[in-house]
Amino acid sequence: MKELDDSPMRKTKEDAALTRKRLLDAALESFHTNGYAATTLEDIARRAGITRGAIQWHFGSKADLFNTLVRECYQRVATQFQAIYTQGGTPLQALRRILLSWLTYPEQDADFRSMLELTLLKTEVSPELAEGMQEKIQGNRASIQFFAGLIQQGIAVGEIRPDVRPEAAATAALGIINGMTSLWLVDPTSFSLQSYAEDAVDLFLQGIARV
């Protein structure tokens, strides 16, 4: 009997979760198509087939919706990458695997690509969007620290040259990922991230590896 009593509540929660997802999907499509500034809550509501009031109930303002969209997209991708980060291997093997995964991923995930295009090419940074952009900044810093830790481990076991500065090399590694990704987003027909990834990553690793 208790299961029957709980059923309407579960249904309400499921409906709310579904509505929230529809709004986030519609927001990504609208922001990506029109840019943040030109997109209105009415545009998003119309695309989602939901009232504007539902957006305000779930998220509040347009800026709150944008910031939530950015945060949850990066959280989703980070969760998917957990298995890649924990597969083991030597420090250089782990660094190569992770760099290749990050460099090729935008070509595999259309929603993540749209998010990158939105945040890098179609949105001017303003105070109301600081929270969402801060998520990206913190993610970059965490990546640099993680890469630096792997590089330090590589130095300790003799895989990487002892004169390599871990933080500098880690920043260069992230620069390769972000730089090549930005070039591809601007002109995706000029090259494929997946076809260039191994060459780019291996050139970087050869530069820091101990011979």
Side-chain angles (χ1 to χ4, degrees), residues 15-30:
D15 288 344
L18 181 60
T19 297
R20 188 177 187 278
K21 184 180 185 307
R22 285 171 62 188
L23 287 171
L24 287 170
D25 290 344
L28 178 57
E29 292 175 8
S30 297

Side-chain angles (χ1 to χ4, degrees), residues 18-153:
L18 181 60
T19 297
R20 188 177 187 278
K21 184 180 185 307
R22 285 171 62 188
L23 287 171
L24 287 170
D25 290 344
L28 178 57
E29 292 175 8
S30 297
F31 288 143
H32 181 259
T33 300
N34 304 319
Y36 174 81
T39 297
T40 66
L41 292 181
E42 287 80 5
D43 294 331
I44 297 169
R46 190 179 308 113
R47 189 182 291 269
I50 298 171
T51 65
R52 171 177 170 156
I55 299 178
Q56 294 171 317
W57 187 85
H58 280 277
F59 300 102
S61 67
K62 184 173 80 166
D64 291 331
L65 174 55
F66 179 90
N67 290 332
T68 300
L69 182 66
V70 173
R71 179 175 62 254
E72 294 192 3
C73 179
Y74 280 101
Q75 287 174 345
R76 174 180 65 81
V77 175
T79 298
Q80 292 179 342
F81 270 63
Q82 284 302 310
I84 297 170
Y85 275 66
T86 57
Q87 280 179 15
T90 70
L92 269 184
Q93 288 171 341
L95 187 58
R96 184 179 190 275
R97 181 178 66 247
I98 293 166
L99 292 178
L100 285 174
S101 297
W102 272 115
L103 193 50
T104 58
Y105 190 72
E107 211 162 13
Q108 302 167 15
D109 185 325
D111 284 347
F112 186 58
R113 172 183 175 175
S114 294
M115 176 59 66
L116 291 176
E117 290 175 338
L118 174 61
T119 55
L120 293 175
L121 306 177
K122 300 184 177 183
T123 304
E124 294 184 9
V125 179
S126 61
E128 66 179 356
L129 303 183
E131 180 186 333
M133 292 304 179
Q134 191 63 29
E135 293 283 339
K136 186 171 183 180
I137 291 171
Q138 292 301 322
N140 285 339
R141 291 177 179 176
S143 295
I144 289 172
Q145 289 302 312
F146 185 82
F147 295 160
L150 282 177
I151 293 167
Q152 186 63 59
Q153 292 173 35

Side-chain angles (χ1 to χ4, degrees), residues 200-211:
V201 170
D202 287 342
L203 282 170
F204 167 74
L205 295 178
Q206 289 166 16
I208 66 173
R210 188 167 189 170
V211 181

